[in-house]
Amino acid sequence: MKLPEQAIPLHTVGWTVAAMLVAALPHLAAMPTGLAVLIVAAAAWRLAAAHYGWRPPPRWLRILLTLGAVALVVFTLGALWGRRTAATLLCVMLAAKMFELFRIRDLRMVASVCFFLIATQFLFNERLFYLVYLATGAMVAVVALIQIQRYEDSTLTGRNTADPDHRSLIRQGAVMVMAALPVALTLFVLFPRLAQPLWGLPEQVMDGRTGLSDSMSPGSIANLFLDDSPAFRAEFDDQPPPPQHRYWRGPVLWHFDGNTWRQSQFASRQPAIPVPADSDTIRYSIQLEPHEQRWLFVLDYPVNAPAEAHISLDYQVVDQRPVTSLKQYEMVSNPDFIDMPELHESLQRQALSLPPERNPRTLDRAQELRERYPDDRELIMAVLRWFNEEEFYYSLETTPTGRHGTDEFLFDLRVGYCEHYASAFAILMRAAGIPTRVVTGYQGGFWQPNGQYLLVRQSDAHAWTEVWLEGSGWTRVDPTSAVAPERIEQGSRSAVGHSRHMLDTEWLRTLRNRYDRFQHLWNRWILGFDAERQQRFLERLGMPDTRPGTIAVIMVVAMAMVIAAITLVVLGRSWRHRDPLLRAWHRLERRLHRTGVRRTGGETPLELLKHAAGIMPDQAAELERLAEHFGKARYGPDPAGHAELFIEHSKAFKPVSPNEPGALNSV
Amino acid sequence: MAQTAAPGNRPGLKNTWQRLVESWLRRRAPIHPPLQLAYRQIFILPTRFGWMLGLLMGAMLIGSLNFNNNLGLLTTFIVAGLGVNSMLLAFRNLHKLAIRGGMANPVHAGQTAHYQLSLQSTDERPRPSLYVRHEVKRVGIDIDDSSAVSITVPLLTHQRGWHRPGRMRIETTHPLGLFRAWAWFWPDRPYLVWPQPAERPPPLPEGGGGPGGREQRHQVEGEDFYSLRQWREGDPLHRIAWKASQRHQDLLSREFREEQAPELVLTLDRAPARDLESRISIVTAWVLQAEQLDRTWTLQLGSLELGPDHGPPHRKRCLRALAEL
Amino acid sequence: MSESAPRRPARPEQLAADLARARAAVNEVIVDKPEVVDLAFSALLAGGHLLIEDLPGVGKTTLAQALSLAVGGNWQRIQFTSDMLPADIVGVSVFRRDDESFEFRPGPVFANVVLADEINRATPRTQSALLEAMAEGQVTVDGQTHPLPRPFFVIATQNPLDLTGTYPLPDSQLDRFLLRTRIGYPSAAEERRLLVEPDRRSLLESMQPVLDPERVGELIDAATGLHVAEPVLDYIQALIAASRAHAAVQAGLSPRASLALIQCARAHALVRQQDFCLPDNVKQVFPALAAHRLQPLAESGMSGDDIVADILANTPVP
């Protein structure tokens, strides 16, 4: 390997390594700690090498290090091949690159790969906060590139680069990133989007954040209660439904094995019976945060499915692919629909099955109730009354239960939350011969009055039941509402009597709600800007034809216009002085120039003004005064006052060319 | 004969191509300094690094589009914006740059001539990272403000005579090294290359070439004692010959004259070599030697006769005559 | 006429008024050439010497005389000829028979203002005697050093065209003169005035000294203390740098020349009654200061004046 004559100075290496570290920061946080430490150590080694003037390690060692690092990644993450592994591998390769970061070409490569690394991170998380990451990362990478360019210059000009002004470098970087925005935003708005992906999306968990899973066992929702992050947002064409009707339907669970409720293969594969739209339908749109699962949350009962999604027999709306980036969809729901007036026999069997030899006390109680209340509706009311009147508590602090969990819950502990109640209620019902299924999803939501949307958080996760009744089909029964009605009326927060953690204060919550409004706008306009929205946006602008081909043409035309505008700004704008006196002087010079008084190369300011006075004898006195003030302000020992006078007078001064008609009037 | 050879004197395909390029450029805009670079002279293309980043951008674009990842797209487009601005800034770095002058002090063949160009920003804008490239050599310079700076381009010299430096290129990859903007120009002021002095020249040919030598110019003052004469008012004290004065009962002053060195006439015929070039280099070496010894010499080249004279200006005249031969 | 009583240093306004009167007096004699007169005063107040180079009959000697008269103090005129010896300038040690000792008889160079007319007529030896005196401010004869009076100001004239039997000052000696200037022909209107009005030279006889050596000393001090702002310093540096970068120049201006430039610009500002230095002052003294110091390359075909004009036209004023 050929080395440059002098070692690359610390500040050049420093900025490049900084660009790498900033871009890798979220990746480092997500990867196994050992790997992250190795990467940071490699960066530190390179900085120390620049500081102490170490030589690069021999070639065989570098190859060994690279291979070792790759092997480590494969060993650590190999089983979970996916985007995260790929990103980690990229980081590790960059870290290995640290050991051969001794040429301008390598420096540039690392700095530019930083942009790629930044873009990669957005596959995992696209929240508003990451805009700061994008801006910082791009800025530092640009500074690194500027600094590399300067270093390259210094190798040829011999200019000393010993001490760059870092503050001015940062400013330059920030200005360059800002200046890139007009082009970037134009492209962003107008670049044709793909309606179909070119290749499939791998399935992998995003950053450890999950929403509801496709099964329910006691405790599975509890971890969501502590998660205040948004699950989705809903906007309504009219008024939002009242709180007690905000049941957002998710997975529907049929099978119970004693511990866990699961979906039914049959019901979730069969297409739904179409729901007719009538006058009471609710129209709304949803921005679903990515949750790596396939279902979409809707109100009962979905009339239509979004494109690429279908509605199953139990009215789950299931997308073709897991939702890995923000998903927007329009929904229409009809709450008055009667689901399955007739229950098919096989479904009835599924809705009544119970695992054998479990919860004998519950089964006994069900038999007891059945005998006392032959009518299904009365039986249900009795159970709810029981939940309500007896000492049942709604609490997140529950005790693990054994084999007969429901028995323990119903007769001994009597402390639990929606999952426990829904599960226990469903078992009671089935034991009493009423077909029952468990529905999970979200309940409630926070109405943002300013933003006119409903924010549903992960902590709004909920589970309830549906019982099949003669005449009214599947009917929603929420046993939790019997125990803790305020959970349904006012949302999950009120149900848990006390603050869940120290920071959960009122103002903090207000702050979070405010922030969420920005996040909402962000989601709506930036993340949710897809092919469809782009089309609508262009239509609103009055473009009649919005096929991708046309959009491409529009984009090319718009880009040409934007670049022309930037060119005008870049080339047309004269060098702007920071000194207000010089700014005023240049303005005066331009005005004189327009009237035909041109400054020659070596003309001094005072000579120019004298020259102008010769051409415009009417204004000679004014010009002379300007000359005096400028001379004293710029060259005098005591400029105070004269600069202001010059600026003031020069602003007021309007040169009039003697051969313009205006000159005659002014005489 | 004065030569105006372009570098790489082969009448090959490359030369024809260069002539074609030159005439095409000439039709577009002036190509000889003094000139001020304008739109028509400036060319711009991505650097190798620029292409690489372009490729990376393509990958980012396809990936982001496929995953319908809008922030990824935004990142990609920011890189695109940086590229567009880089291109414009590189262009602006050359736009309205004045290139003037261009000349080099004469050197002997084989030495490096330093061709000086003057660069100036005509709109007071700083112009960082400019390079002037000539053949394989590249020299860099920054212009911080509007004052003219000079840049020295090293030129390798092979043959004596007048030469034009040939095509030069001013270029810049400011600010990020993504795009290279450049402009060609042909400095047309020739530079002189003196003949290469022979490495081991024969000793100086003493003795006059012409009949009886020439009358030496009378030097009033010199190093060597010449004669005594009567003291006159104005003669300095240290010139008084005290011992002699005592003997003659009168004040005597010493007078000095410069040594009468034998005259030196240099001609090509006196150089012991066969071909013209070797003779010229021998005479060149003699001229240099004569000047070093502070001698007075005459150079005869056919009908041209220089001297007798001495000193650096005479040497330069002689060397130029030898170069132009 | 100077007063005999020792005076306190004059106040600045007084100094300025005196300078203005001196300038007016000279301008009365040398009509229509205020720039040349200002340059001459600048050389004086910068503590340097002046070389006037022009054709005969344009008023070189008149200017020099008027200047020396206005400045006051004692002045000497040396008409240079080819048979002059150094001793005729600096003085001689005369051997006295009676007491067998040498006595120094000061030459005409011992004066506040020395007018060296047609300096190129003397032999280089004689010239260099004067130039050495100018450079060192003292004269060494036979091992004895005799200081020259203060202020010491030499105005030399030289005819650039009359070359037969002359010894033009060598290039290397020219920079002993702070400024070199030309006078040039008068304008048509002035020429007419010259024709119809009585001879201006008669004014010389009635001219009263306005300044005196002490005043000149104070003025020189005042010039040294004049304010020069950063942009003007930038401009000076740019000019010097441009002279060094110029392609037609063998060697650019030396640091000594840049010091001389700033001092001259200050003096010029003082002459122009300003209390600070403008780029205009620098620009006006620059040709007189630089043209004779720059040695153009023979190949370039440019003269020193061309180069100076080129530099001034291409150096933007900050």
Side-chain angles (χ1 to χ4, degrees):
Chain A
M1 182 165 109
K2 215 175 84 184
L3 275 173
E5 291 298 308
Q6 85 232 62
I8 299 173
L10 177 60
H11 41 77
T12 306
V13 176
W15 276 110
T16 313
V17 172
M20 196 276 280
L21 286 179
V22 170
L25 199 60
H27 298 285
L28 290 178
M31 69 179 66
T33 320
L35 278 179
V37 167
L38 277 183
I39 287 168
V40 173
W45 180 87
R46 184 58 190 97
L47 291 179
H51 187 258
Y52 296 109
W54 294 342
R55 311 281 297 172
R59 195 184 164 78
W60 61 265
L61 188 58
R62 290 200 314 268
I63 292 174
L64 209 67
L65 278 169
T66 313
L67 290 177
V70 173
L72 198 63
V73 173
V74 173
F75 178 73
T76 328
L77 296 168
L80 304 163
W81 179 254
R83 279 171 291 167
R84 183 52 82 189
T85 317
T88 306
L89 194 61
L90 187 61
C91 289
V92 167
M93 297 289 265
L94 272 181
K97 193 80 191 161
M98 291 290 128
F99 294 99
E100 44 181 38
L101 199 57
F102 288 87
R103 281 179 307 180
I104 289 169
R105 223 174 64 193
D106 297 321
L107 286 170
R108 285 205 165 124
M109 207 201 83
V110 168
S112 53
V113 168
C114 288
F115 290 108
F116 193 85
L117 208 54
I118 291 168
T120 314
Q121 170 58 26
F122 299 134
L123 294 178
F124 308 106
N125 201 326
E126 289 189 283
R127 318 229 16 219
L128 178 58
F129 171 75
Y130 279 84
L131 196 59
V132 178
Y133 162 69
L134 168 58
T136 316
M139 199 257 317
V140 178
V142 167
V143 170
L145 285 176
I146 292 175
Q147 192 58 38
I148 294 165
Q149 172 71 25
R150 291 196 172 182
Y151 166 68
E152 189 182 26
D153 295 343
S154 74
T155 58
L156 281 152
T157 60
R159 183 185 50 181
N160 188 18
T161 52
D163 191 23
D165 177 2
H166 290 287
R167 193 175 299 177
S168 112
L169 266 179
I170 290 173
R171 203 179 53 232
Q172 264 177 288
V175 167
M176 285 223 65
V177 173
M178 302 267 259
L181 286 182
V183 169
L185 293 179
T186 310
L187 283 172
F188 182 80
V189 173
L190 294 175
F191 201 92
R193 300 298 205 279
L194 293 178
Q196 294 286 327
L198 298 174
W199 68 86
L201 299 172
E203 304 201 14
Q204 205 195 343
V205 173
M206 301 186 66
D207 277 10
R209 292 189 304 111
T210 47
L212 286 177
S213 66
D214 57 354
S215 61
M216 186 185 89
S217 48
S220 67
I221 289 183
N223 55 19
L224 289 178
F225 285 132
L226 295 171
D227 186 359
D228 258 347
S229 61
F232 59 91
R233 295 171 186 77
E235 287 176 68
F236 297 91
D237 284 9
D238 302 314
Q239 285 300 305
Q244 62 270 22
H245 290 157
R246 293 175 193 160
Y247 281 88
W248 302 95
R249 194 179 185 87
V252 181
L253 312 175
W254 297 76
H255 290 302
F256 183 62
D257 63 3
N259 292 317
T260 306
W261 286 87
R262 292 184 200 284
Q263 285 180 292
S264 152
Q265 294 290 328
F266 176 72
S268 60
R269 292 224 175 119
Q270 289 294 102
I273 299 151
V275 178
D278 66 13
S279 58
D280 285 339
T281 53
I282 308 170
R283 288 169 187 279
Y284 54 102
S285 70
I286 302 257
Q287 283 172 6
L288 180 61
E289 292 282 335
H291 60 102
E292 303 273 349
Q293 307 283 357
R294 288 169 51 194
W295 45 80
L296 312 176
F297 297 95
V298 295
L299 290 171
D300 289 340
Y301 287 92
V303 173
N304 64 322
E308 302 171 35
H310 71 273
I311 306 175
S312 67
L313 190 61
D314 45 8
Y315 294 99
Q316 300 182 55
V317 182
V318 181
D319 205 356
Q320 281 177 4
R321 288 175 288 137
V323 180
T324 55
S325 63
L326 190 92
K327 173 141 186 123
Q328 302 221 15
Y329 50 92
E330 308 282 329
M331 287 302 306
V332 178
S333 289
N334 182 357
D336 300 333
F337 176 69
I338 294 171
D339 181 11
M340 286 190 201
E342 304 288 328
L343 188 61
H344 193 272
E345 194 194 331
S346 69
L347 282 177
Q348 189 178 20
R349 211 167 39 242
Q350 280 188 38
L352 287 173
S353 76
L354 280 173
E357 295 168 20
R358 290 289 185 103
N359 304 313
R361 286 196 274 168
T362 308
L363 298 183
D364 288 350
R365 171 45 82 83
Q367 288 308 318
E368 210 177 289
L369 285 167
R370 179 84 273 182
E371 278 159 24
R372 204 180 321 159
Y373 305 102
D375 183 54
D376 286 352
R377 287 184 174 79
E378 279 175 26
L379 195 149
I380 292 167
M381 290 314 291
V383 172
L384 291 179
R385 219 168 27 247
W386 181 46
F387 282 173
N388 192 354
E389 288 165 4
E390 298 279 317
E391 297 271 297
F392 283 98
Y393 297 99
Y394 185 87
S395 172
L396 297 181
E397 279 148 32
T398 54
T399 314
T401 48
R403 183 174 162 81
H404 306 293
T406 308
D407 279 0
E408 287 178 54
F409 170 70
L410 281 179
F411 302 103
D412 306 333
L413 301 167
R414 295 193 169 181
V415 172
Y417 45 91
C418 55
E419 279 184 349
H420 298 96
Y421 289 104
S423 175
F425 184 77
I427 292 165
L428 266 175
M429 288 301 123
R430 285 188 176 187
I434 303 173
T436 310
R437 62 193 183 189
V438 171
V439 185
T440 58
Y442 296 89
Q443 197 280 324
F446 174 79
W447 179 246
Q448 291 269 27
N450 303 3
Q452 292 292 311
Y453 68 91
L454 190 76
L455 166 66
V456 179
R457 294 199 170 87
Q458 293 295 354
S459 55
D460 290 319
H462 193 49
W464 60 93
T465 58
E466 283 179 336
V467 291
W468 188 87
L469 297 174
E470 197 68 50
S472 51
W474 288 106
T475 308
R476 181 169 63 223
V477 177
D478 187 354
T480 314
S481 68
V483 182
E486 66 277 6
R487 164 70 184 82
I488 309 306
E489 308 276 329
Q490 289 156 39
S492 58
R493 208 171 304 284
S494 55
V496 186
H498 54 90
S499 290
R500 283 163 302 159
H501 42 83
M502 258 164 45
L503 290 175
D504 192 17
T505 56
E506 192 55 44
W507 69 267
L508 197 68
R509 243 173 286 155
T510 318
L511 204 69
R512 290 180 68 116
N513 288 337
R514 291 237 173 95
Y515 170 76
D516 191 80
R517 280 200 351 247
F518 290 109
Q519 179 73 46
H520 171 66
L521 291 173
W522 171 251
N523 287 350
R524 186 180 170 139
W525 289 109
I526 305 294
L527 302 186
F529 194 85
D530 53 7
E532 193 193 327
R533 213 165 253 270
Q534 181 181 43
Q535 226 168 46
R536 264 191 289 160
F537 177 75
L538 289 176
E539 272 162 12
R540 211 180 300 167
L541 284 183
M543 305 286 167
D545 181 5
T546 49
R547 282 171 304 183
T550 324
I551 295 180
V553 172
I554 294 171
M555 180 190 76
V556 169
V557 172
M559 276 302 289
M561 277 158 60
V562 168
I563 292 177
I566 297 174
T567 311
L568 271 182
V569 171
V570 165
L571 294 179
R573 201 182 62 178
S574 61
W575 184 243
R576 197 176 145 86
H577 285 273
R578 247 176 264 162
D579 183 350
L581 176 70
L582 287 181
R583 251 198 328 264
W585 166 257
H586 282 277
R587 188 172 49 229
L588 177 63
E589 209 180 309
R590 278 198 299 279
R591 282 187 191 161
L592 287 173
H593 190 98
R594 274 200 291 275
T595 47
V597 185
R598 294 189 161 77
R599 188 175 174 190
T600 56
E603 213 166 21
T604 68
L606 303 197
E607 279 172 348
L608 175 72
L609 294 178
K610 202 180 268 181
H611 169 191
I615 294 174
M616 302 175 244
D618 303 333
Q619 289 169 304
E622 181 66 15
L623 284 165
E624 203 170 303
R625 197 166 66 198
L626 284 172
E628 193 197 327
H629 288 312
F630 184 75
K632 284 185 176 156
R634 180 110 173 98
Y635 308 113
D638 184 23
H642 292 288
E644 289 73 20
L645 278 172
F646 174 76
I647 293 168
E648 198 177 302
H649 285 295
S650 69
K651 269 184 189 155
F653 179 74
K654 298 273 183 299
V656 182
S657 165
N659 36 16
E660 273 177 30
L664 296 173
N665 304 336
S666 69
V667 171
Chain B
M1 190 190 94
Q3 297 172 1
T4 51
N9 232 342
R10 278 160 294 133
L13 199 71
K14 202 177 155 193
N15 238 351
T16 321
W17 167 245
Q18 278 195 0
R19 257 204 311 282
L20 273 175
V21 168
E22 187 176 336
S23 68
W24 176 67
L25 286 169
R26 193 192 293 279
R27 278 198 302 278
R28 286 173 71 90
I31 59 167
H32 300 301
L35 50 82
Q36 188 173 328
L37 298 180
Y39 164 70
R40 299 178 75 82
Q41 279 137 307
I42 301 173
F43 301 87
I44 194 157
L45 271 181
T47 57
R48 222 164 57 169
F49 169 59
W51 287 117
M52 197 208 94
L53 192 66
L55 217 66
L56 196 74
M57 214 175 77
M60 281 161 70
L61 180 68
I62 292 174
S64 304
L65 275 180
N66 189 61
F67 290 87
N68 204 3
N69 190 299
N70 274 338
L71 266 191
L73 270 181
L74 190 63
T75 316
T76 313
F77 294 147
I78 283 178
V79 175
L82 287 173
V84 168
N85 290 350
S86 274
M87 186 173 76
L88 289 172
L89 288 177
F91 174 81
R92 186 179 77 173
N93 212 24
L94 291 187
H95 189 63
K96 288 190 178 171
L97 182 77
I99 305 174
R100 288 204 197 87
M103 65 176 306
N105 285 330
V107 290
H108 291 285
Q111 291 175 326
T112 306
H114 297 282
Y115 203 83
Q116 273 203 331
L117 293 163
S118 148
L119 302 179
Q120 190 185 10
S121 165
T122 56
D123 54 2
E124 301 188 25
R125 212 186 282 283
R127 313 288 185 133
S129 32
L130 298 173
Y131 299 104
V132 174
R133 189 194 279 266
H134 178 256
E135 291 171 26
V136 291
K137 289 216 161 55
R138 207 158 68 128
V139 280
I141 199 164
D142 292 321
I143 305 181
D144 291 330
D145 52 19
S146 52
S147 56
V149 294
S150 80
I151 184 166
T152 306
V153 185
L155 305 175
L156 289 178
T157 59
H158 306 287
Q159 267 182 313
R160 68 189 171 85
W162 288 98
H163 296 277
R164 278 175 217 283
R167 185 171 71 170
M168 287 193 188
R169 187 169 118 154
I170 181 154
E171 61 181 41
T172 184
T173 56
H174 175 79
L176 302 182
L178 291 176
F179 281 87
R180 174 175 288 116
W182 76 91
W184 302 107
F185 61 97
W186 277 258
D188 60 349
R189 195 175 289 168
Y191 62 99
L192 183 62
V193 177
W194 292 327
Q196 190 168 20
E199 259 174 49
R200 277 195 215 88
L204 286 172
E206 300 290 347
R214 247 155 274 268
E215 202 179 326
Q216 283 288 320
R217 189 129 67 119
H218 203 79
Q219 297 288 327
V220 178
E221 285 290 326
E223 293 296 315
D224 303 289
F225 175 70
Y226 178 56
S227 69
L228 283 173
R229 62 163 169 77
Q230 187 124 34
W231 183 81
R232 287 198 304 240
E233 217 175 90
D235 280 353
L237 276 183
H238 63 88
R239 287 286 167 84
I240 294 175
W242 295 105
K243 282 183 182 165
S245 301
Q246 240 168 356
R247 281 199 302 276
H248 288 86
Q249 291 299 307
D250 203 352
L251 277 177
L252 293 175
S253 290
R254 281 171 298 197
E255 230 182 348
F256 294 81
R257 289 275 163 95
E258 189 166 84
E259 189 197 3
Q260 302 285 308
E263 192 187 344
L264 205 53
V265 176
L266 309 174
T267 65
L268 286 180
D269 303 334
R270 295 180 137 203
R274 235 177 241 163
D275 64 315
L276 179 67
E277 288 305 319
S278 343
R279 283 190 203 170
I280 287 176
S281 33
I282 290 172
V283 175
T284 304
W286 280 345
V287 168
L288 296 179
Q289 228 173 348
E291 206 237 324
Q292 213 162 29
L293 297 170
D294 215 3
R295 297 279 295 267
T296 298
W297 76 91
T298 305
L299 177 69
Q300 286 178 335
L301 298 169
S303 60
L304 181 75
E305 188 170 317
L306 296 168
D309 205 341
H310 66 285
H314 182 49
R315 169 181 53 102
K316 286 182 184 171
R317 269 195 302 278
C318 293
L319 291 175
R320 177 171 173 175
L322 284 166
E324 288 176 349
L325 201 64
Chain C
M1 277 221 331
S2 63
E3 301 151 46
S4 51
R7 291 174 318 184
R8 295 190 314 277
R11 286 177 298 130
E13 305 87 73
Q14 183 63 34
L15 270 179
D18 286 350
L19 182 59
R21 274 194 297 136
R23 195 172 149 218
V26 177
N27 271 323
E28 212 175 315
V29 181
I30 314 294
V31 285
D32 201 28
K33 296 288 171 199
E35 303 87 18
V36 179
V37 172
D38 285 352
L39 279 178
F41 271 105
S42 306
L44 170 68
L45 298 186
H49 308 286
L50 177 69
L51 176 65
I52 304 175
E53 200 172 65
D54 216 328
L55 303 171
V58 293
K60 298 191 295 278
T61 314
T62 316
L63 170 63
Q65 274 183 346
L67 206 57
S68 15
L69 277 169
V71 165
N74 54 345
W75 73 279
Q76 287 282 354
R77 175 178 174 167
I78 313 171
Q79 179 66 48
F80 277 62
T81 53
S82 55
D83 55 355
M84 270 186 133
L85 290 169
D88 296 333
I89 311 268
V90 297
V92 287
S93 292
V94 182
F95 182 65
R96 286 211 298 213
R97 296 281 165 125
D98 40 328
D99 56 359
E100 294 278 310
S101 70
F102 286 88
E103 185 199 32
F104 181 68
R105 274 194 220 150
V109 77
F110 286 85
N112 290 115
V113 180
V114 176
L115 169 54
D117 239 348
E118 307 206 58
I119 192 170
N120 53 338
R121 291 201 170 274
T123 57
R125 240 181 106 199
T126 314
Q127 287 172 357
S128 62
L130 175 67
L131 295 171
E132 270 169 47
M134 280 161 50
E136 277 146 42
Q138 59 186 28
V139 166
T140 306
V141 179
D142 301 330
Q144 269 190 299
T145 301
H146 308 278
L148 291 166
R150 298 272 154 193
F152 175 63
F153 181 45
V154 175
I155 308 171
T157 69
Q158 176 168 275
N159 181 346
L161 287 189
D162 182 16
L163 290 174
T164 47
T166 63
Y167 304 89
L169 287 172
D171 290 346
S172 55
Q173 301 281 8
L174 275 175
D175 70 343
R176 299 286 164 92
F177 291 97
L178 184 64
L179 297 181
R180 183 188 67 170
T181 184
R182 295 196 171 82
I183 294 182
Y185 295 115
S187 67
E190 281 311 315
E191 191 121 39
R192 171 59 67 89
R193 273 178 69 194
L194 284 175
L195 290 176
V196 298
E197 287 179 10
D199 192 351
R200 296 268 166 172
R201 274 174 293 182
S202 61
L203 282 173
L204 283 174
E205 279 141 42
S206 58
M207 213 169 130
Q208 299 282 322
V210 183
L211 299 169
D212 55 59
E214 255 185 83
R215 274 285 149 83
V216 173
E218 284 167 24
L219 282 169
I220 290 175
D221 289 345
T224 315
L226 213 67
H227 173 79
V228 185
E230 287 290 321
V232 182
L233 292 175
D234 290 344
Y235 184 48
I236 289 175
Q237 277 198 302
L239 287 174
I240 300 288
S243 82
R244 290 174 190 161
H246 200 282
V249 177
Q250 283 186 352
L253 292 173
S254 61
R256 181 160 47 153
S258 61
L259 278 177
L261 180 56
I262 188 169
Q263 197 49 37
C264 271
R266 281 181 166 134
H268 193 264
L270 189 68
V271 172
R272 286 282 169 92
Q273 310 277 317
Q274 298 157 209
D275 52 3
F276 54 89
C277 193
L278 283 171
D280 305 63
N281 301 122
V282 178
K283 198 177 166 186
Q284 274 158 33
V285 298
F286 187 69
L289 184 120
H292 62 289
R293 292 172 204 255
L294 291 172
Q295 299 200 12
L297 286 171
E299 291 89 347
S300 70
M302 289 176 92
S303 73
D305 292 316
D306 297 339
I307 295 169
V308 165
D310 193 35
I311 291 174
L312 281 179
N314 288 316
T315 309
V317 184

